[in-house]
Amino acid sequence: MSANEYRTPGEVLGWASEYVAGPGTYVWHEKVYASVVGLLRLTPAATDVEDQRPTIEVTREKERGAVPEPGTVVTAKITKLFPRQAAASIVCVGPRAVRDKFTGIIRQQDVRATEIDKVDMHTSFRPGDIVRAEVISLGDSRAYYLSTAKNELGVVSATSDAGAAMVPVSWQEMQCPITGQREPRKVAKVI
Amino acid sequence: MFLNSQKALLKSDGTRLDDRLPSHVRPAFLKTGAVSVAAGSAYAEFGSTKVIVSVYGPRESKKAQAFSDIGRLNCDVKFTSFATPLRGKAGQDVSDKEFSVLLHKALEDAVDLHSFPKTTVDVFALVLQSGGGDLPAIITCASLALADAGIVMHDIVAAISLSCVGKDLLLDPTYKEESQQDGSVFIALMTSRREITQVTFTGEWSSTKASEALELCCDACVKLGEVMRVCLKEDAAEATEDT
């Protein structure tokens, strides 16, 4: 890849009347500018759309550390358990690992979609469990708000008292393969 | 005495002690990716001034800080104890804190803080050798490091300083020229959009001389910006070949 094909922040890419500004670009005073270092990419507009301007974007090849955003599915590790919420440390955002620690909180009302009033945090999670959750908001200054209310969200990996990785047997139970002990969890339905 | 000090900075043919014309900048060496553990980093040399900048983040803000809908940019400038002719003491002194504030002001307009809400980007600048024009070198290097880290920016920021010695305007002064200056101006410019993010005058300036100095600095910043873009492109292409 030649160095001349890269774009740097502040470079003019074209007129805003001719291109739709995609990721890695922004519009300022009727022009489209690059906002990251990366390669230029043009995507023609779909034929059925009225706006026929191609989309212009600058894609970065060296991936940046992932940052949780509302709406994304994250992988987190439960760190602390409280009567009304569980604290988790976010380790992945989608398929990408997080470089620095981000704190998330799963509140009691966000554990499952049904029987919200009867949720018991201690029968849903344990410290050390790996969970899949969805970021529902930026939360407060301390933590992001996570939710496991969907069927595909919840505990995906847990360790039993005997130290073995447990096997999910239903949506609310996991079983130890060594001792046969069953433990309650909010289990994710992994596809 | 005044005449002697003025003659000591300029030769008879109008060039400086290091054979530069008054309007020429020192040779620059720029390189990104100098620190492997950082999200982005850059190393810069301007003559005998050597600076290294690391960028970490976006990462979680400290709990003591309040919630913020936009991101936070923290800047920290330090001089090594062997950076100056007189041995410096460890830790930050008054000028280091002032440099940190000026660096933050120069960069925050160029960085899109809305692209990383609630998180923090930390910029650490370390001056390895102080040879004059330290703050412009720090800002230029920090801008390269932020672009290397993939932080969304409106433009890259180039910075340059200029010293006034008698009737002469010396661009990109060395340590010796800085120590004998009557006044100085330092400017940080978003090179593509031609917007100034920071300008500081010290000493006595007439209005005509001040505008002439600003013109000189802006032209030099635009040229320096082009050098910065070439450095970013070549390092990005080189990083692609490595993978």
Side-chain angles (χ1 to χ4, degrees):
Chain A
M1 207 73 66
S2 169
N4 290 324
E5 301 180 17
Y6 284 85
R7 294 290 180 265
T8 55
E11 281 191 39
V12 179
L13 306 176
W15 292 98
S17 54
E18 297 174 3
Y19 299 100
V20 177
T25 67
Y26 70 97
V27 175
W28 185 71
H29 283 16
E30 300 174 12
K31 287 179 185 172
V32 185
Y33 292 81
S35 58
V36 290
V37 182
L39 288 168
L40 191 69
R41 186 173 299 172
L42 268 178
T43 307
T47 52
D48 55 336
V49 183
E50 182 174 336
D51 189 357
Q52 279 295 303
R53 294 181 295 165
T55 300
I56 195 166
E57 66 186 68
V58 177
T59 58
R60 177 177 168 82
E61 291 180 344
K62 192 174 90 173
E63 271 304 334
R64 196 179 88 172
V67 177
E69 285 169 1
T72 58
V73 173
V74 299
T75 306
K77 184 178 197 179
I78 304 291
T79 53
K80 281 180 188 174
L81 216 56
F82 299 102
R84 294 193 179 276
Q85 64 191 26
S89 175
I90 297 172
V91 293
C92 284
V93 176
R96 293 196 297 145
V98 162
R99 288 180 74 119
D100 294 291
K101 177 183 85 81
F102 288 99
T103 303
I105 273 178
I106 305 173
R107 296 172 298 177
Q108 188 183 28
Q109 63 261 39
D110 298 321
V111 171
R112 64 189 186 213
T114 59
E115 289 184 324
I116 295 175
D117 294 340
K118 299 179 182 176
V119 169
D120 184 1
M121 297 302 291
H122 297 279
T123 60
S124 305
F125 307 109
R126 286 291 171 87
D129 289 354
I130 307 295
V131 300
R132 273 170 53 94
E134 184 185 2
V135 182
I136 53 179
S137 81
L138 293 177
D140 50 22
S141 64
R142 297 176 165 271
Y144 293 82
Y145 285 171
L146 310 178
S147 165
T148 58
K150 294 177 179 175
N151 288 344
E152 320 86 55
L153 305 174
V155 177
V156 295
S157 171
T159 306
S160 68
D161 292 336
M166 290 197 286
V167 180
V169 294
S170 75
W171 72 272
Q172 54 183 352
E173 268 187 342
M174 289 182 119
Q175 189 172 25
C176 175
I178 296 179
T179 64
Q181 171 98 19
R182 291 189 173 218
E183 294 187 23
R185 292 286 196 282
K186 202 286 175 182
V187 183
K189 183 184 185 179
V190 183
I191 302 169
Chain B
M1 192 61 180
F2 176 77
L3 289 177
N4 285 337
S5 65
Q6 181 177 353
K7 283 178 183 173
L9 293 183
L10 281 185
K11 298 176 182 176
S12 56
D13 58 352
T15 58
R16 300 199 246 181
L17 294 178
D18 52 359
D19 293 330
R20 282 189 288 148
L21 287 178
S23 59
H24 280 188
V25 300
R26 293 172 292 180
F29 174 78
L30 305 168
K31 182 71 178 172
T32 62
V35 179
S36 59
V37 295
S41 59
Y43 172 76
E45 282 186 22
F46 291 88
S48 58
T49 300
K50 299 183 175 69
V51 177
I52 194 163
V53 176
S54 312
V55 172
Y56 295 88
R59 58 186 181 182
E60 194 166 52
S61 301
K62 290 166 184 169
K63 293 194 172 183
Q65 289 174 319
F67 180 85
S68 171
D69 264 341
I70 60 172
R72 216 178 251 109
L73 186 69
N74 293 332
C75 297
D76 191 56
V77 176
K78 277 195 174 66
F79 282 67
T80 56
S81 55
F82 48 85
T84 49
L86 283 178
R87 179 179 170 85
K89 58 186 191 324
Q92 260 194 338
D93 57 13
V94 178
S95 68
D96 289 358
K97 284 191 172 65
E98 184 186 347
F99 273 23
S100 303
V101 171
L102 290 173
L103 174 63
H104 182 268
K105 283 182 180 177
L107 291 176
E108 66 176 343
D109 279 344
V111 174
D112 184 12
L113 298 173
H114 297 271
S115 64
F116 48 97
K118 215 187 86 132
T119 53
T120 296
V121 167
D122 295 311
V123 179
F124 297 103
L126 189 65
V127 180
L128 301 172
Q129 185 172 333
S130 170
D134 300 336
L135 184 55
I138 292 166
I139 291 170
T140 300
C141 195
S143 178
L144 285 176
L146 284 166
D148 182 53
I151 307 296
V152 178
M153 299 170 76
H154 302 138
D155 206 337
I156 54 175
V157 181
I160 206 85
S161 64
L162 180 143
S163 284
C164 180
V165 180
K167 296 177 297 182
D168 301 304
L169 297 177
L170 305 180
L171 193 61
D172 199 16
T174 61
Y175 183 83
K176 184 164 187 173
E177 290 159 351
E178 270 188 352
S179 56
Q180 302 190 42
Q181 64 190 8
D182 303 324
S184 77
V185 55
F186 135 75
I187 197 173
L189 184 82
M190 287 202 277
T191 61
S192 176
R193 294 171 25 158
R194 303 290 206 272
E195 290 185 346
I196 293 175
T197 63
Q198 177 76 290
V199 59
T200 303
F201 279 92
T202 57
E204 297 183 15
W205 291 88
S206 65
S207 59
T208 53
K209 208 162 196 103
S211 58
E212 184 188 344
L214 280 179
E215 288 284 339
L216 256 177
C217 286
C218 286
D219 290 343
C221 279
V222 170
K223 290 192 176 70
L224 179 58
E226 288 163 16
V227 176
M228 291 164 73
R229 293 188 194 281
V230 169
C231 164
L232 284 169
K233 296 182 182 194
E234 286 179 355
D235 289 346
E238 182 182 311
T240 306
E241 289 168 7
D242 291 347
T243 59

